Amino acid sequence: MEGSEELESSLLTKPWASVCFGESAFLAKVCFRDTGYILLISDLSSVWYESADAEAVGQRSKELNKRLTVHVSSFLHHLCDLMSPLLAGQSDTATSFSCHHTAGGLSLHVKSTLSGLPFYWKFHCCPAPVEMVSRHLVRPLIRMSLALQYQVQELTFLLLQKDAEIEDYRENGATLSRDRLRTEPFQEEMFQQNFMAEGPWIAPGARDSAPRWSWEPSGTAATTSPVVAWEPRCRERRGPGDKVPFQPEPWKDVCVCGG
């Protein structure tokens, strides 16, 4: 029988989805099996979860749906079918969702129909343990941040190489056949400043009042401090033409081995 640990391992393979209940926005992921389910939900201030096995699901279904008599596995499949459109961002007028904050937890209510009868379900979520939050949210975010930082560095390096190549062509008399293709040399620092100041995450009309973010070139960590001043060690990459200095990333993958 698949236990809670196996369910949580399966949950690791599920993507986070953005969901809304009324005016409240959340990130959520869920995994259903014939033996139970596990739900993880966060408003980015708190993280809650519920793990329920077949016995708990059967007991709650009897309390909430006294007129329904279906096998627990069929009940779980139906619940999965109701949740899937929500996580996929699709609307289903036959199903309604609502959430309520409770003492130390979060309750998610589902209302729909099953076999022509009213169907109700309540997810009773409690605060997720720190290790679960780290495993499902913090570590993946750090890994993705690292991957994006490396990607930005590689793309920046390629842009600077291309600029050097284009400049070499110009110095040797090459001209553009179509002037509309002309581009200005890439300026990394200016690009980073404009990107952080005008990014899509800043709501229109709120740019002047938004916290001032600073992002040093080549991936220095973003921060809400007015200025981040520090002297990083640089590494150099050799390529055609000039050497291009690269600053280290704010996060590093390290391995500490015991002796």
Side-chain angles (χ1 to χ4, degrees), residues 196-251:
M196 294 308 299
E198 301 174 4
W201 52 83
I202 301 179
R207 299 188 185 277
D208 294 337
S209 60
R212 181 182 173 187
W213 292 78
S214 64
W215 190 346
E216 297 298 322
S218 297
T220 303
T223 173
T224 51
S225 302
V227 176
V228 176
W230 57 291
E231 294 295 332
R233 292 172 296 171
C234 294
R235 61 182 174 92
E236 294 182 339
R237 289 192 55 173
R238 295 179 181 270
D242 296 336
K243 296 177 182 179
V244 182
F246 273 73
Q247 295 177 355
E249 302 80 13
W251 291 98

Side-chain angles (χ1 to χ4, degrees), residues 16 40 47 128-140:
W16 285 96
L40 195 58
V47 183
V130 172
E131 176 57 28
M132 177 180 284
V133 175
S134 176
R135 187 162 52 248
H136 288 272
L137 191 60
V138 178
R139 293 178 197 168

Side-chain angles (χ1 to χ4, degrees), residues 129-219:
V130 172
E131 176 57 28
M132 177 180 284
V133 175
S134 176
R135 187 162 52 248
H136 288 272
L137 191 60
V138 178
R139 293 178 197 168
L141 285 175
I142 291 177
R143 291 192 188 104
M144 181 55 68
S145 176
L146 278 170
L148 291 174
Q149 289 166 24
Y150 287 132
Q151 183 184 61
V152 167
Q153 287 188 343
E154 293 301 316
L155 291 174
T156 297
F157 179 65
L158 289 174
L159 280 172
L160 294 174
Q161 279 188 309
K162 289 294 183 183
D163 280 346
E165 181 180 348
I166 292 170
E167 184 61 27
D168 184 71
Y169 289 149
R170 288 175 179 170
E171 290 176 354
N172 286 278
T175 58
L176 284 171
S177 60
R178 289 170 289 182
D179 194 63
R180 62 183 178 81
L181 298 178
R182 186 179 305 277
T183 59
E184 295 297 326
F186 177 69
Q187 298 181 17
E188 182 184 1
E189 184 174 359
M190 182 64 69
F191 171 80
Q192 296 285 16
Q193 290 176 354
N194 291 340
F195 184 80
M196 294 308 299
E198 301 174 4
W201 52 83
I202 301 179
R207 299 188 185 277
D208 294 337
S209 60
R212 181 182 173 187
W213 292 78
S214 64
W215 190 346
E216 297 298 322
S218 297

Side-chain angles (χ1 to χ4, degrees), residues 69-143:
T69 54
V70 295
H71 193 272
V72 172
S73 61
S74 299
F75 189 92
L76 284 163
H77 280 290
H78 181 66
L79 194 54
C80 179
D81 291 340
L82 296 179
M83 294 291 291
S84 294
L86 173 71
L87 298 175
Q90 302 169 359
S91 59
D92 183 358
T93 56
T95 306
S96 64
F97 296 88
S98 62
C99 71
H100 307 276
H101 288 274
T102 61
L106 184 76
S107 180
L108 174 59
H109 297 186
V110 184
K111 182 179 179 180
S112 186
T113 58
L114 176 59
S115 301
L117 296 173
F119 170 85
Y120 304 95
W121 187 254
K122 293 182 181 179
F123 294 95
H124 299 306
C125 302
C126 61
V130 172
E131 176 57 28
M132 177 180 284
V133 175
S134 176
R135 187 162 52 248
H136 288 272
L137 191 60
V138 178
R139 293 178 197 168
L141 285 175
I142 291 177
R143 291 192 188 104

Side-chain angles (χ1 to χ4, degrees), residues 59-77:
Q59 180 61 37
R60 192 179 304 172
S61 67
K62 292 177 181 178
E63 297 172 358
L64 297 174
N65 304 279
K66 300 183 185 301
R67 298 172 61 189
L68 287 173
T69 54
V70 295
H71 193 272
V72 172
S73 61
S74 299
F75 189 92
L76 284 163
H77 280 290

